Amino acid sequence: GRLVPHKRVELALTTLAELSLSHPEVSLTIIGQGYWEPTLRELADRLGVSDRVTFAGFVDDVTKHRLLARAWLHAMPSVKEGWGLVVIESAAHGTPTIAFRSAGGTQESVLDGETGLLVDDEAGFVAATRRLIEDEALRGRLGHQARAHAARFSWPAAVEVFEAELRDITGLPPRAIPAPRPALDDVLADDVLADEPSAAAGQ
């Protein structure tokens, strides 16, 4: 993601700091680049968490999916998201997302309580992060359901659904739509899931 103010990566950093005393093993990986990075690095220093924050910068697709697969959870503190493609990319690896209900598109990409958790304020964001870190069973259940949800999405499936809508509008006879294809290559998934998990990944 872009490191810009409205992504509110600061909240991921302050959440990490707040959890530090009870969970010193937790780390944060920030994937993306942008002009706000120096401000975020300065905040990490002030909060005393620089040693547990990795600024991964811009990464290629293979590295991105490897990082998302290793994460226990995906933190998305954005003010506004149109859809949040990375939510589905994370879900494809069994990584649930924590996001704000008010961000818009997250209400569609995150199924609250099923594939991740939606929160209403900063305190709720911290609480949800703590909950998923501490509750392995919940994290596993949400991750399993997230993976199943993500499997419904692919470009071929989107084209087929769009074609069906056009056929309906124009009065053409419907064509059977095959079952959705997996969102990611199995080979890539097997590769990244073999890695040891880290604690958190932010957009």
Side-chain angles (χ1 to χ4, degrees), residues 126-138:
V126 175
T129 303
R130 183 187 300 277
R131 183 181 175 195
L132 284 192
I133 287 173
E134 294 179 349
D135 192 335
E136 183 178 357
L138 174 62

Side-chain angles (χ1 to χ4, degrees), residues 90-104:
S90 298
H93 295 293
T95 302
T97 292
I98 298 173
F100 281 84
R101 197 182 321 274
S102 59

Side-chain angles (χ1 to χ4, degrees), residues 148-200:
H149 179 61
R152 299 172 50 227
F153 299 94
S154 71
W155 286 116
V159 169
E160 288 157 359
V161 171
F162 187 66
E163 179 186 349
E165 290 291 330
L166 289 178
R167 285 176 172 272
D168 183 57
I169 292 170
T170 59
L172 289 173
R175 189 163 63 100
I177 299 176
R181 299 171 179 84
L184 297 171
D185 291 337
D186 291 337
V187 174
L188 174 61
D190 289 342
D191 175 42
V192 294
L193 291 176
D195 289 334
E196 192 69 24
S198 59

Side-chain angles (χ1 to χ4, degrees), residues 6-81:
H6 79 268
K7 294 291 186 178
R8 289 198 300 191
V9 180
E10 291 91 338
L11 182 52
L13 290 168
T14 56
T15 298
L16 175 64
E18 188 157 340
L19 297 177
S20 290
L21 289 179
S22 55
H23 297 282
E25 78 286 0
V26 172
S27 63
L28 173 69
T29 299
I30 298 172
I31 307 171
Q33 63 183 6
Y35 74 90
W36 205 241
E37 182 174 334
T39 301
L40 297 172
R41 287 183 177 273
E42 181 182 338
L43 177 60
D45 285 337
R46 289 205 314 269
L47 293 172
V49 295
S50 294
D51 59 327
R52 288 183 288 117
V53 177
T54 299
F55 285 86
F58 178 82
V59 297
D60 59 31
D61 277 348
V62 172
T63 303
K64 175 181 67 175
H65 286 292
R66 189 170 283 138
L67 290 170
L68 294 176
R70 291 179 59 193
W72 283 8
L73 62 92
H74 167 232
M76 178 180 268
S78 305
V79 171
K80 185 72 175 175
E81 289 290 338

